[in-house]
Amino acid sequence: AQSVTQPDIHITVSEGASLELRCNYSYGATPYLFWYVQSPGQGLQLLLKYFSGDTLVQGIKGFEAEFKRSQSSFNLRKPSVHWSDAAEYFCAVGLNNAGNMLTFGGGTRLMVKP
Amino acid sequence: EAGVAQSPRYKIIEKRQSVAFWCNPISGHATLYWYQQILGQGPKLLIQFQNNGVVDDSQLPKDRFSAERLKGVDSTLKIQPAKLEDSAVYLCASSQGGSSGVREQYFGPGTRLTVT
């Protein structure tokens, strides 16, 4: 069965600093990859997705992610973090032959220091 | 375009009571999902509908949970009787239907259930 690992449960960065959130997946084939953000009391909002093609994908709110097949990773990055980016971030994996099911990682909670 | 609607937003019940959640997906979305998100964890899929048929309910605790999607539009998720470990946020999501590929899922705001 596929699995998704987000090794960092909590991350704290200063406003204006760069950010990288890690995501590793375990599956033999190339999955469909997603990053979602969840603000307190809110549902999940899609930041970006990778299906195929260019391995560097751009998303909303200035986020980007890079798919590295050799490392089974799909890390999320932002060059300059804003205080409003404080939230929980989830990486998710979907498989073409799994009926659009998504498997989520455990999440990384981002705190932003002023 | 209206998003996924869920109600209620919050619910507090005592163990052994029953509770129901309602979800109205984005118009035209054939696929509807119910997720359970326990505090500190990622969402876990409970059940997936394609129109009014069940695609996957392998992780639904069928002894106490049930779900239906009448007429292939809105859906209800019921828990009867509730246990303390059912305390969680219940998220509904929807996506466009299709026989291949993985489609973006759009999530509702969730219902936070507290079982005391």
Side-chain angles (χ1 to χ4, degrees):
Chain A
Q2 73 239 41
S3 66
V4 182
T5 302
Q6 294 181 245
D8 305 304
I9 297 175
H10 297 279
I11 282 184
T12 300
V13 300
S14 297
E15 191 168 17
S18 64
L19 171 70
E20 182 169 26
L21 303 182
R22 296 182 291 166
C23 173
N24 294 94
Y25 64 91
S26 173
Y27 187 68
T30 299
Y32 293 72
L33 299 160
F34 303 82
W35 275 100
Y36 283 87
V37 61
Q38 186 177 37
S39 299
Q42 303 296 316
L44 280 71
Q45 180 185 19
L46 181 69
L47 286 175
L48 47 76
K49 60 191 176 188
Y50 173 78
F51 285 2
S52 64
D54 191 347
T55 56
L56 183 64
V57 293
Q58 302 298 319
I60 62 171
K61 305 184 179 185
F63 286 91
E64 65 178 26
E66 186 172 13
F67 168 58
K68 293 186 177 180
R69 184 189 307 273
S70 61
Q71 299 177 19
S72 296
S73 70
F74 189 57
N75 294 349
L76 182 71
R77 301 194 295 249
K78 186 170 185 178
S80 177
V81 171
H82 189 263
W83 64 266
S84 61
D85 293 324
E88 186 136 25
Y89 292 79
F90 292 94
C91 180
V93 168
L95 299 175
N96 191 18
N97 62 350
N100 210 42
M101 287 176 54
L102 292 184
T103 299
F104 284 84
T108 297
R109 181 167 296 280
L110 173 66
M111 298 177 64
V112 181
K113 295 189 299 185
Chain B
E1 178 182 78
V4 176
Q6 290 188 248
S7 67
R9 291 296 309 277
Y10 305 91
K11 190 74 176 178
I12 301 174
I13 62 172
E14 296 182 351
K15 58 183 179 184
R16 291 186 291 273
Q17 286 187 324
S18 62
V19 65
F21 312 128
W22 175 82
C23 171
N24 190 17
I26 292 173
S27 178
H29 279 192
T31 311
L32 184 148
Y33 316 79
W34 283 103
Y35 289 87
Q36 181 192 57
Q37 186 180 18
I38 293 173
L39 185 65
Q41 299 181 18
K44 182 186 79 171
L45 180 69
L46 292 175
I47 188 167
Q48 177 182 343
F49 292 94
Q50 178 80 11
N51 297 309
N52 60 354
V54 175
V55 175
D56 187 295
D57 63 356
S58 57
Q59 298 196 79
L60 187 74
K62 297 180 186 64
D63 57 333
R64 297 183 301 105
F65 286 65
S66 65
E68 61 182 9
R69 191 183 184 196
L70 300 176
K71 300 180 182 179
V73 181
D74 54 354
S75 175
T76 56
L77 176 70
K78 297 179 182 177
I79 307 176
Q80 182 179 9
K83 294 184 175 181
L84 295 177
E85 59 261 35
D86 298 332
S87 294
V89 175
Y90 291 85
L91 294 165
C92 180
S94 69
S95 69
Q96 294 179 339
S99 58
S100 64
V102 177
R103 286 160 175 78
E104 176 180 344
Q105 296 183 21
Y106 296 81
F107 284 81
T111 296
R112 181 176 298 277
L113 173 68
T114 302
V115 182
T116 63

Short mmCIF file of all heavy atoms in Angstrom, two decimals, chain A residues 24-55:
data_model
loop_
_atom_site.label_atom_id
_atom_site.label_comp_id
_atom_site.label_asym_id
_atom_site.label_seq_id
_atom_site.Cartn_x
_atom_site.Cartn_y
_atom_site.Cartn_z
N ASN A 24 7.81 12.65 1.37
CA ASN A 24 8.29 11.45 0.72
C ASN A 24 7.15 10.46 0.58
O ASN A 24 6.30 10.36 1.47
CB ASN A 24 9.44 10.82 1.52
CG ASN A 24 10.65 11.69 1.55
OD1 ASN A 24 10.84 12.49 2.49
ND2 ASN A 24 11.47 11.59 0.53
N TYR A 25 7.14 9.74 -0.53
CA TYR A 25 6.08 8.77 -0.73
C TYR A 25 6.70 7.42 -1.02
O TYR A 25 7.86 7.32 -1.44
CB TYR A 25 5.15 9.20 -1.86
CG TYR A 25 5.83 9.26 -3.20
CD1 TYR A 25 5.86 8.15 -4.04
CD2 TYR A 25 6.47 10.42 -3.62
CE1 TYR A 25 6.50 8.20 -5.26
CE2 TYR A 25 7.12 10.48 -4.84
CZ TYR A 25 7.13 9.36 -5.66
OH TYR A 25 7.78 9.41 -6.85
N SER A 26 5.90 6.42 -0.81
CA SER A 26 6.34 5.06 -1.06
C SER A 26 5.36 4.41 -2.02
O SER A 26 4.23 4.12 -1.65
CB SER A 26 6.41 4.27 0.25
OG SER A 26 6.68 2.91 0.01
N TYR A 27 5.83 4.24 -3.26
CA TYR A 27 5.02 3.53 -4.24
C TYR A 27 5.88 3.25 -5.46
O TYR A 27 6.73 4.06 -5.79
CB TYR A 27 3.77 4.32 -4.62
CG TYR A 27 2.85 3.53 -5.50
CD1 TYR A 27 2.18 2.42 -4.99
CD2 TYR A 27 2.68 3.84 -6.83
CE1 TYR A 27 1.37 1.64 -5.79
CE2 TYR A 27 1.87 3.08 -7.64
CZ TYR A 27 1.21 1.98 -7.11
OH TYR A 27 0.41 1.22 -7.92
N GLY A 28 5.65 2.17 -6.16
CA GLY A 28 6.50 1.79 -7.27
C GLY A 28 6.32 2.64 -8.50
O GLY A 28 7.27 2.94 -9.20
N ALA A 29 5.10 3.05 -8.80
CA ALA A 29 4.85 3.83 -10.01
C ALA A 29 4.87 5.32 -9.67
O ALA A 29 4.93 5.71 -8.51
CB ALA A 29 3.49 3.44 -10.58
N THR A 30 4.83 6.14 -10.69
CA THR A 30 4.78 7.59 -10.46
C THR A 30 3.36 7.98 -10.09
O THR A 30 2.44 7.77 -10.86
CB THR A 30 5.20 8.34 -11.72
OG1 THR A 30 6.54 7.98 -12.05
CG2 THR A 30 5.13 9.85 -11.48
N PRO A 31 3.22 8.51 -8.92
CA PRO A 31 1.86 8.89 -8.49
C PRO A 31 1.51 10.30 -8.92
O PRO A 31 2.33 11.03 -9.48
CB PRO A 31 1.98 8.82 -6.96
CG PRO A 31 3.40 9.23 -6.70
CD PRO A 31 4.22 8.74 -7.88
N TYR A 32 0.30 10.66 -8.68
CA TYR A 32 -0.13 12.04 -8.81
C TYR A 32 0.11 12.68 -7.43
O TYR A 32 -0.26 12.11 -6.41
CB TYR A 32 -1.61 12.10 -9.17
CG TYR A 32 -1.93 11.56 -10.54
CD1 TYR A 32 -1.88 10.20 -10.80
CD2 TYR A 32 -2.27 12.41 -11.58
CE1 TYR A 32 -2.18 9.69 -12.06
CE2 TYR A 32 -2.58 11.92 -12.84
CZ TYR A 32 -2.52 10.55 -13.06
OH TYR A 32 -2.82 10.05 -14.30
N LEU A 33 0.68 13.86 -7.40
CA LEU A 33 1.12 14.47 -6.14
C LEU A 33 0.46 15.82 -5.92
O LEU A 33 0.30 16.61 -6.85
CB LEU A 33 2.64 14.64 -6.17
CG LEU A 33 3.41 13.32 -6.30
CD1 LEU A 33 4.83 13.58 -6.80
CD2 LEU A 33 3.45 12.60 -4.96
N PHE A 34 0.09 16.06 -4.68
CA PHE A 34 -0.63 17.27 -4.32
C PHE A 34 -0.06 17.85 -3.03
O PHE A 34 0.42 17.12 -2.16
CB PHE A 34 -2.12 16.97 -4.07
CG PHE A 34 -2.84 16.32 -5.21
CD1 PHE A 34 -2.75 14.94 -5.42
CD2 PHE A 34 -3.63 17.07 -6.06
CE1 PHE A 34 -3.42 14.33 -6.46
CE2 PHE A 34 -4.32 16.46 -7.10
CZ PHE A 34 -4.22 15.10 -7.30
N TRP A 35 -0.15 19.17 -2.91
CA TRP A 35 0.04 19.85 -1.64
C TRP A 35 -1.22 20.66 -1.34
O TRP A 35 -1.69 21.42 -2.19
CB TRP A 35 1.24 20.79 -1.67
CG TRP A 35 2.55 20.14 -1.36
CD1 TRP A 35 3.50 19.73 -2.24
CD2 TRP A 35 3.06 19.83 -0.06
NE1 TRP A 35 4.56 19.19 -1.57
CE2 TRP A 35 4.32 19.24 -0.24
CE3 TRP A 35 2.58 20.02 1.24
CZ2 TRP A 35 5.12 18.81 0.84
CZ3 TRP A 35 3.36 19.61 2.30
CH2 TRP A 35 4.61 19.01 2.10
N TYR A 36 -1.73 20.45 -0.11
CA TYR A 36 -2.89 21.20 0.37
C TYR A 36 -2.49 21.99 1.60
O TYR A 36 -1.60 21.58 2.36
CB TYR A 36 -4.03 20.25 0.77
CG TYR A 36 -4.81 19.66 -0.37
CD1 TYR A 36 -4.40 18.49 -0.99
CD2 TYR A 36 -6.00 20.25 -0.81
CE1 TYR A 36 -5.14 17.93 -2.03
CE2 TYR A 36 -6.74 19.71 -1.84
CZ TYR A 36 -6.31 18.54 -2.45
OH TYR A 36 -7.05 18.00 -3.47
N VAL A 37 -3.19 23.11 1.83
CA VAL A 37 -2.98 23.90 3.03
C VAL A 37 -4.31 23.98 3.79
O VAL A 37 -5.38 24.06 3.19
CB VAL A 37 -2.44 25.31 2.71
CG1 VAL A 37 -3.42 26.09 1.84
CG2 VAL A 37 -2.14 26.08 3.99
N GLN A 38 -4.21 23.93 5.11
CA GLN A 38 -5.39 24.00 5.96
C GLN A 38 -5.17 25.04 7.06
O GLN A 38 -4.32 24.86 7.93
CB GLN A 38 -5.68 22.63 6.59
CG GLN A 38 -6.98 22.57 7.38
CD GLN A 38 -7.26 21.17 7.91
OE1 GLN A 38 -6.34 20.46 8.31
NE2 GLN A 38 -8.53 20.77 7.92
N SER A 39 -5.93 26.11 6.99
CA SER A 39 -5.89 27.12 8.04
C SER A 39 -6.84 26.67 9.16
O SER A 39 -7.76 25.89 8.93
CB SER A 39 -6.30 28.48 7.49
OG SER A 39 -5.40 28.88 6.48
N PRO A 40 -6.61 27.18 10.37
CA PRO A 40 -7.44 26.74 11.51
C PRO A 40 -8.93 26.87 11.25
O PRO A 40 -9.41 27.92 10.81
CB PRO A 40 -6.98 27.68 12.63
CG PRO A 40 -5.59 28.04 12.27
CD PRO A 40 -5.56 28.12 10.77
N GLY A 41 -9.67 25.81 11.47
CA GLY A 41 -11.11 25.82 11.30
C GLY A 41 -11.59 25.82 9.86
O GLY A 41 -12.79 25.98 9.61
N GLN A 42 -10.65 25.59 8.96
CA GLN A 42 -11.00 25.61 7.53
C GLN A 42 -10.79 24.24 6.90
O GLN A 42 -10.10 23.38 7.45
CB GLN A 42 -10.15 26.64 6.79
CG GLN A 42 -10.26 28.04 7.35
CD GLN A 42 -11.65 28.60 7.20
OE1 GLN A 42 -12.29 28.48 6.16
NE2 GLN A 42 -12.15 29.22 8.26
N GLY A 43 -11.38 24.09 5.72
CA GLY A 43 -11.11 22.89 4.95
C GLY A 43 -9.76 22.98 4.26
O GLY A 43 -8.99 23.91 4.50
N LEU A 44 -9.47 22.03 3.41
CA LEU A 44 -8.19 21.99 2.72
C LEU A 44 -8.28 22.75 1.39
O LEU A 44 -9.24 22.59 0.64
CB LEU A 44 -7.77 20.55 2.46
CG LEU A 44 -7.12 19.79 3.61
CD1 LEU A 44 -8.12 19.46 4.68
CD2 LEU A 44 -6.43 18.54 3.10
N GLN A 45 -7.24 23.53 1.13
CA GLN A 45 -7.17 24.27 -0.13
C GLN A 45 -5.98 23.76 -0.92
O GLN A 45 -4.87 23.63 -0.38
CB GLN A 45 -7.03 25.77 0.13
CG GLN A 45 -6.94 26.61 -1.14
CD GLN A 45 -6.68 28.07 -0.87
OE1 GLN A 45 -6.21 28.46 0.19
NE2 GLN A 45 -7.00 28.91 -1.84
N LEU A 46 -6.19 23.49 -2.20
CA LEU A 46 -5.11 22.99 -3.04
C LEU A 46 -4.11 24.09 -3.34
O LEU A 46 -4.49 25.18 -3.80
CB LEU A 46 -5.68 22.43 -4.35
CG LEU A 46 -4.64 21.84 -5.31
CD1 LEU A 46 -4.07 20.54 -4.73
CD2 LEU A 46 -5.26 21.57 -6.68
N LEU A 47 -2.82 23.82 -3.07
CA LEU A 47 -1.75 24.75 -3.41
C LEU A 47 -1.20 24.47 -4.79
O LEU A 47 -0.97 25.40 -5.57
CB LEU A 47 -0.61 24.64 -2.40
CG LEU A 47 -0.83 25.22 -1.01
CD1 LEU A 47 0.36 24.90 -0.13
CD2 LEU A 47 -1.06 26.72 -1.07
N LEU A 48 -0.95 23.20 -5.08
CA LEU A 48 -0.40 22.82 -6.37
C LEU A 48 -0.50 21.32 -6.54
O LEU A 48 -0.79 20.60 -5.59
CB LEU A 48 1.05 23.28 -6.51
CG LEU A 48 2.03 23.02 -5.37
CD1 LEU A 48 2.47 21.59 -5.32
CD2 LEU A 48 3.23 23.97 -5.44
N LYS A 49 -0.24 20.87 -7.79
CA LYS A 49 -0.34 19.45 -8.10
C LYS A 49 0.66 19.10 -9.19
O LYS A 49 1.05 19.95 -10.00
CB LYS A 49 -1.76 19.12 -8.56
CG LYS A 49 -2.20 19.88 -9.80
CD LYS A 49 -3.68 19.72 -10.07
CE LYS A 49 -4.10 20.58 -11.27
NZ LYS A 49 -5.57 20.61 -11.47
N TYR A 50 1.08 17.85 -9.18
CA TYR A 50 1.95 17.33 -10.22
C TYR A 50 1.32 16.08 -10.79
O TYR A 50 1.04 15.12 -10.06
CB TYR A 50 3.34 17.00 -9.67
CG TYR A 50 4.20 16.29 -10.70
CD1 TYR A 50 4.80 17.01 -11.72
CD2 TYR A 50 4.37 14.91 -10.65
CE1 TYR A 50 5.57 16.35 -12.67
CE2 TYR A 50 5.13 14.26 -11.60
CZ TYR A 50 5.73 14.99 -12.61
OH TYR A 50 6.48 14.34 -13.56
N PHE A 51 1.12 16.10 -12.11
CA PHE A 51 0.60 14.90 -12.78
C PHE A 51 1.66 14.32 -13.71
O PHE A 51 1.85 13.11 -13.77
CB PHE A 51 -0.66 15.26 -13.59
CG PHE A 51 -1.88 15.47 -12.73
CD1 PHE A 51 -1.83 15.40 -11.35
CD2 PHE A 51 -3.10 15.77 -13.32
CE1 PHE A 51 -2.96 15.60 -10.57
CE2 PHE A 51 -4.25 15.97 -12.54
CZ PHE A 51 -4.18 15.88 -11.17
N SER A 52 2.34 15.19 -14.47
CA SER A 52 3.38 14.74 -15.40
C SER A 52 4.08 15.98 -15.95
O SER A 52 3.69 17.11 -15.64
CB SER A 52 2.79 13.92 -16.56
OG SER A 52 1.93 14.73 -17.34
N GLY A 53 5.12 15.76 -16.74
CA GLY A 53 5.79 16.88 -17.39
C GLY A 53 6.85 17.52 -16.52
O GLY A 53 7.56 16.83 -15.78
N ASP A 54 6.96 18.82 -16.59
CA ASP A 54 7.98 19.57 -15.86
C ASP A 54 7.91 19.22 -14.37
O ASP A 54 6.85 19.31 -13.75
CB ASP A 54 7.76 21.07 -16.06
CG ASP A 54 8.93 21.91 -15.56
OD1 ASP A 54 9.80 21.35 -14.84
OD2 ASP A 54 8.99 23.10 -15.88
N THR A 55 9.05 18.85 -13.83
CA THR A 55 9.06 18.38 -12.45
C THR A 55 9.00 19.52 -11.43
O THR A 55 8.85 19.27 -10.24
CB THR A 55 10.31 17.53 -12.18
OG1 THR A 55 11.47 18.31 -12.51
CG2 THR A 55 10.30 16.28 -13.03
#
